[in-house]
Structures are given as structure tokens and as C-alpha cells.
Amino acid sequence: MKPEGTRHFLLLQGPHGPFFSRLGRMLGHSGARVWRVGFNRGDRALWHDRHSYIPWRGRAEDWPAGFAGIVEEKGITDLVLYGDTRPSHAKAIAVARAMGVTIHVFEEGYLRPYWVTYERNGSNGNSRLMEMSVEEMRAALSRTDTDLPDAPARWGDMRQHMFWGALYHWFVWAGFWDYRNFRPHRALTVRQEFLLYVKRLCLLPFHALERRIATWRIRYGGFPYHLAILQLEHDASFRDHSPFTTMTEFLDLVVQGFAEGAPKHHHLVFKAHPLEDGRVAVKSTIRQLADKYGVAKRVHFVRGGKLAALLNHARSAVTVNSTAGQQALWRGLPLRAFGRAVYSKPEFVSSQPAAQFFAEGKRPDTRAYRDYRHYLLETSQVAGGFYSSRGRRELLRQVVDMLLSGQDPYDALTSGNAAPRQQLRLVT
């Protein structure tokens, strides 16, 4: 018999690295019971306790019934996962809702890099934020009297992110025979994923040199420019919450809109995602489209790196639904987001057609955006990170209490029960 009120947490797949293992340990220290379902050797290798580990070696079509059986057998009260759209997670969420299980979703920070996202029931296009108005957020904020932190501009743990990704895929690849039914939620094989992580780590110095040269040419070119903030084609936000099926569709829309609408002396800069690994030929596609629309001499490509330096001199920014778009809003730049994003509020995100936007982009209501950002920092944005040791320490100091709370972060603020929040200000 379990003690009355004991919480039973079941963790599925988490971010690459030891964060879920550390989270499980601390939940255990709180008095809760914790289990972890693993779908491959990577999940097993990074979990701390074999007694609480539940391997899933069944077929994908059997997973919903298998998950329901685990929930019933262990008396699960809470489900914890990273991202809500990969097939195994989406199916588990549907079953968990029907069984009355509380659903905790982690995701990369909407205000990254110094914060991660913690919500209940869904994230990104499935977040409660999608239905909230700025006025509702302002009403909830009326209960607080805290200052709005400065916007950080540095991602402190990119190398750690790459390292843990490569290590995870190595374990998955090396132990495939033990989980023969495992299929990754992305199109590439585990071996291909692993090799791409290794390749990207090896090419970091060469890509850094290429990036410095491209950035120097833009910064000292003396021309006005617009910035296109790119995402990964296989990222869940792009795949599940945008009108595009391929990155090429988005690139074509942007280059054509720029060619038709932007003043002839303006330039267009494409900023690649820091984790872009070459599985999509983004650079060559941009070159071909620039030739097609007659703007080859006015289009530039920057591979990864920091966004702040480019945004500081940009005239406007476009994206599908990248969280980095909020750095443009923080600077008061016109922003056009073509996909569903938690920050796509009419007060500060343009809905103009691409050509019209490049001709004369609508500037954001910066006061409304600051209120929106303040609301996120008081609710779903938690100081810390998944991949660096310091980031994990900062995160665990706050997020365990948030999981154990009877209210989700948004309801806690509205009811006046939100715990004091610590904002991470220092470079990690």
C-alpha cells in the first residue's frame, strides 16, 4: 500500500544528458516515487537507478496499451516528458489525460538561453499561452511587483548540448540490438544522427572561421539589412506548428518577398540555427533562390553563432516561429512570424504579407511585449539550462517545487500563490 498522498512520477524521454536523472533523484528526495520508461540504450545509460527503470521493447502500435498498463500498475499520478509532439509522447499524453494523470512538459526556453520552459499539458503550439491575451497577462501581473530582468544574449552551453547529443546517439546506436523495435522520431537513422553530431563537433573551428568572415562582411558592409532567423527543419516547432512542410518553402517565400518588396539598396541576411548539421542543404538552396529572384548580390548566409550582434543592426526580422524572434521584439524591431508561436500576439507581431513587410514592417508595441515577457518570467520560464552542470543546478533549485505544486505556473500567478522567482543574470 502506498502512503496517502504519495505522488508517483513516470518520466519518459528527456533532453540529452543527465537532467532527467538528476530530476528523478530530487523528486525521490521529496518523498515521491519515481519511475523512468526507456525506449533505447541512450535512455538507459543516462538514468541513475536500474530498479526504477522500465524498458519498453514493444512495438510502436502496442505502446498506448503498454503505457496504460504501467500507469495502472504503478499508480502513476504524474507524467513528465520533454516535448509533447514526438509520437511516443503524444500517444502517452492522450492516454494520461483520459486516466486523470497530471502532465508536466519541459521544453527549450521560450526566452532562451538562460531559461527553460516548464508547462502542463502542452508546449509551443499546444501551450496555454496560445489562447491568452496580453490583457489577461497584465491582470495576472497586477499581483506582482518585481523588476523585469535584462535580456541575455549568450547561449552558455552549446558545446555541452552537442556533446550530450553525440553521447546519447552513440549509446542508442551501440545498443540497438537490445531495443530492436525502437524507431527514432526523426527521419534519419540513429547511426546518421550520431555521425552528424560527431561531424558538427569536428567542424566547429572551421565553421567559426566561416562565420566570422561572413559576419565581418555584413557588419562593415555599410548597407541596411533584414534578418531571417532560421530553424531546424526537423524541429517540432517547425514540423508541427507551421504551414511549411520543408525549409525550402519558407526560404522561397522570404527571398521572393524580399525581392519584390525591399528597397533596392537593402540586403537580406539568413542566420542558420546553431545546431544546423547539414541534413538540409540550406546554404546552397538560398544561393539558388537568390539567383532565381535576381538578388544574389544582396543575400548573405551566416552559419550559426550568436544572434545579438546581427540583430543589433538589423532593420527587421522574419522567422517561422523560432523563440529567437523574441530577441528582435526585445529590441523593438518589426517581426514577421509565419508559423504558430506563443509570442504571436497582434500587439507586437506583424501579419503583413512578406513583400509588404520588407517594404515597411509594422513596428511592435514594445510596452505590450515587455508585459508579455514579464509574464513568462513569472510563470513558465525557469532560470537554468538542461546541458551544462551549472544550468542544471540553477534549474533544479526551482523546478522541483513547481512539479510538486498543486497548480500549474499560470494558475499559481493568477491566484497569487506563485513562489518567488530567481532570475539568472550571470554568464554560465
Side-chain angles (χ1 to χ4, degrees):
M1 291 286 293
K2 64 182 181 182
E4 186 68 26
T6 299
R7 302 277 289 275
H8 287 228
F9 286 83
L10 180 65
L11 282 63
L12 299 187
Q13 290 188 294
H16 296 150
F19 171 68
F20 259 28
S21 181
R22 305 286 170 80
L23 176 65
R25 284 182 184 274
M26 193 166 289
L27 285 170
H29 293 331
S30 77
R33 294 292 306 275
V34 181
W35 286 270
R36 169 73 184 272
V37 171
F39 298 85
N40 56 59
R41 273 298 180 93
D43 294 337
R44 174 65 187 92
L46 298 176
W47 183 249
H48 63 278
D49 176 29
R50 65 183 181 88
H51 298 291
S52 60
Y53 179 77
I54 304 171
W56 174 257
R57 298 187 175 93
R59 300 175 302 172
E61 54 265 36
D62 298 328
W63 166 239
F67 172 77
I70 295 170
V71 171
E72 185 70 28
E73 177 188 348
K74 303 296 185 183
I76 299 301
T77 59
D78 297 80
L79 175 66
V80 185
L81 32 73
Y82 171 70
D84 62 348
T85 60
R86 65 181 67 183
S88 59
H89 286 183
K91 293 174 183 177
I93 287 173
V95 174
R97 284 198 180 109
M99 300 181 73
V101 173
T102 301
I103 301 161
H104 308 266
V105 182
F106 284 95
E107 188 49 276
E108 301 292 345
Y110 296 148
L111 298 175
R112 67 183 69 173
Y114 287 149
W115 294 275
V116 305
T117 298
Y118 165 71
E119 296 179 282
R120 297 193 182 174
N121 296 314
S123 64
N124 291 312
N126 297 321
S127 168
R128 283 182 60 184
L129 291 169
M130 299 298 298
E131 309 303 325
M132 291 187 197
S133 69
V134 174
E135 287 306 315
E136 289 173 318
M137 297 176 186
R138 284 170 167 161
L141 283 172
S142 64
R143 297 178 176 273
T144 70
D145 188 27
T146 55
D147 294 332
L148 184 64
D150 293 335
R154 176 181 173 185
W155 187 307
D157 54 4
M158 181 57 65
R159 287 183 176 82
Q160 293 95 323
H161 191 164
M162 294 181 184
F163 168 78
W164 288 116
L167 183 64
Y168 175 83
H169 284 93
W170 160 255
F171 280 118
V172 176
W173 182 25
F176 76 93
W177 51 269
D178 202 22
Y179 293 82
R180 296 180 184 274
N181 289 315
F182 172 71
R183 298 292 182 271
H185 62 283
R186 294 171 179 162
L188 297 185
T189 66
V190 173
R191 179 178 182 275
Q192 289 172 322
E193 288 270 6
F194 168 68
L195 293 177
L196 284 172
Y197 271 100
V198 173
K199 177 182 176 182
R200 190 163 65 246
L201 283 168
C202 293
L203 290 177
L204 277 177
F206 304 99
H207 289 168
L209 177 60
E210 176 189 352
R211 181 170 60 249
R212 289 192 188 99
I213 294 172
T215 303
W216 184 89
R217 288 174 175 169
I218 294 164
R219 292 183 64 185
Y220 295 98
F223 46 75
Y225 63 85
H226 307 265
L227 189 63
I229 304 170
L230 299 183
Q231 295 161 250
L232 302 174
E233 186 180 270
H234 59 271
D235 182 76
S237 293
F238 182 93
R239 188 182 64 245
D240 299 314
H241 303 301
S242 87
F244 309 107
T245 57
T246 67
M247 181 60 67
T248 299
E249 294 176 9
F250 171 67
L251 299 176
D252 189 283
L253 182 150
V254 171
V255 177
Q256 181 180 10
F258 172 78
E260 294 175 354
K264 300 303 180 184
H265 62 292
H266 284 205
H267 288 228
L268 175 63
V269 177
F270 285 93
K271 164 68 169 58
H273 190 279
L275 293 176
E276 182 60 60
D277 54 20
R279 72 182 67 188
V280 176
V282 174
K283 184 177 181 180
S284 61
T285 300
I286 291 172
R287 186 183 302 115
Q288 293 167 11
L289 290 170
D291 288 336
K292 173 183 175 181
Y293 291 109
V295 290
K297 293 183 179 180
R298 298 162 55 204
V299 174
H300 310 263
F301 176 79
V302 178
R303 188 187 297 276
K306 299 176 185 178
L307 183 61
L310 291 171
L311 273 175
N312 287 340
H313 302 284
R315 300 295 296 271
S316 71
V318 297
T319 187
V320 176
N321 51 14
S322 172
T323 56
Q326 298 202 60
Q327 291 195 40
L329 292 173
W330 178 257
R331 290 165 172 79
L333 296 177
L335 175 68
R336 178 65 166 96
F338 291 91
R340 285 167 48 83
V342 294
Y343 57 81
S344 288
K345 306 300 180 185
E347 290 87 349
F348 40 78
V349 175
S350 171
S351 59
Q352 297 166 282
Q356 182 183 353
F357 179 81
F358 282 116
E360 191 175 7
K362 175 186 174 183
R363 296 188 65 85
D365 179 341
T366 54
R367 185 180 298 275
Y369 175 68
R370 285 173 179 260
D371 290 339
Y372 166 85
R373 186 175 183 275
H374 192 179
Y375 180 78
L376 262 62
L377 289 171
E378 292 294 335
T379 54
S380 61
Q381 302 306 287
V382 190
F386 296 128
Y387 308 106
S388 68
S389 58
R390 180 180 179 184
R392 288 190 294 273
R393 290 196 300 270
E394 295 290 344
L395 180 54
L396 288 168
R397 287 189 177 108
Q398 298 183 73
V399 80
V400 175
D401 287 340
M402 297 175 74
L403 268 75
L404 294 171
S405 171
Q407 293 181 305
D408 82 357
Y410 305 122
D411 290 335
L413 182 64
T414 300
S415 66
N417 294 323
R421 305 300 298 278
Q422 173 189 1
Q423 306 303 346
L424 184 61
R425 295 176 180 272
L426 302 177
V427 173
T428 56

